[in-house]
Amino acid sequence: MNYKKDFGTKASAIITEAFVFPSFRPGELPSLKYYTPFAAWDTGADHTSISSEVIEALQLKPKNYTTIMVFGGEQRAGVYDVAIALPNGKLFHEMEVYGADLDEYSILFGMDIITETDFLITNADGKTTFQFRTPSEGGVEL
């Protein structure tokens, strides 16, 4: 499943839309969902994180706590099980994510999601284009 977004200018961040659901099994219908147009893609993050707004909207309870590294240093974070739908429709069931202070973003996709895709950013003529596909097929050449 392919996805492409043209930013029309040089982007300072890669932002797409996404859905987050409380964890559910394939074949079931989720009881709640959270849509956001503010999902950031961050190759510097190991794991995906969600904001407190998402946690509250989905009435999520942490299954445990961990310490994560953020720009300001270490931060205690709740660990949550969720399902995430990428903008191309790919659904990841039973994702383990961290609750974090994300400023203006609702979701920060980390390398746990990015490494499941073929991920490409181009900046021809000063205009950023972001593309990814799932599952990864390899064979991307420049």
Side-chain angles (χ1 to χ4, degrees), residues 21-40:
F21 309 88
S23 188
F24 66 96
R25 295 181 188 179
E28 293 180 352
L29 291 175
S31 57
L32 296 169
K33 68 180 174 186
Y34 184 92
Y35 167 80
T36 180
F38 303 111

Side-chain angles (χ1 to χ4, degrees), residues 25-139:
R25 295 181 188 179
E28 293 180 352
L29 291 175
S31 57
L32 296 169
K33 68 180 174 186
Y34 184 92
Y35 167 80
T36 180
F38 303 111
W41 296 70
D42 184 355
T43 60
D46 291 334
H47 291 89
T48 296
S49 296
I50 57 175
S51 69
S52 58
E53 183 178 313
V54 176
I55 294 165
E56 291 170 17
L58 297 178
Q59 303 168 13
L60 299 174
K61 304 292 183 224
K63 66 180 189 176
N64 57 45
Y65 291 88
T66 191
T67 301
I68 60 174
M69 291 299 297
V70 296
F71 285 118
E74 292 184 349
Q75 177 182 342
R76 183 173 162 89
V79 180
Y80 302 89
D81 287 328
V82 299
I84 294 177
L86 300 181
N88 69 344
K90 170 67 174 171
L91 181 64
F92 289 93
H93 289 277
E94 300 179 24
M95 287 291 306
E96 187 175 273
V97 300
Y98 301 145
D101 296 328
L102 299 179
D103 296 323
E104 69 266 25
Y105 306 122
S106 300
I107 304 170
L108 190 139
F109 291 126
M111 292 303 290
D112 55 340
I113 293 271
I114 294 170
T115 57
E116 297 296 320
T117 73
D118 289 329
F119 180 91
L120 178 67
I121 299 171
T122 60
N123 291 287
D125 301 321
K127 297 177 182 177
T128 301
T129 299
F130 167 60
Q131 299 178 72
F132 74 91
R133 65 182 172 203
T134 53
S136 175
E137 298 172 17

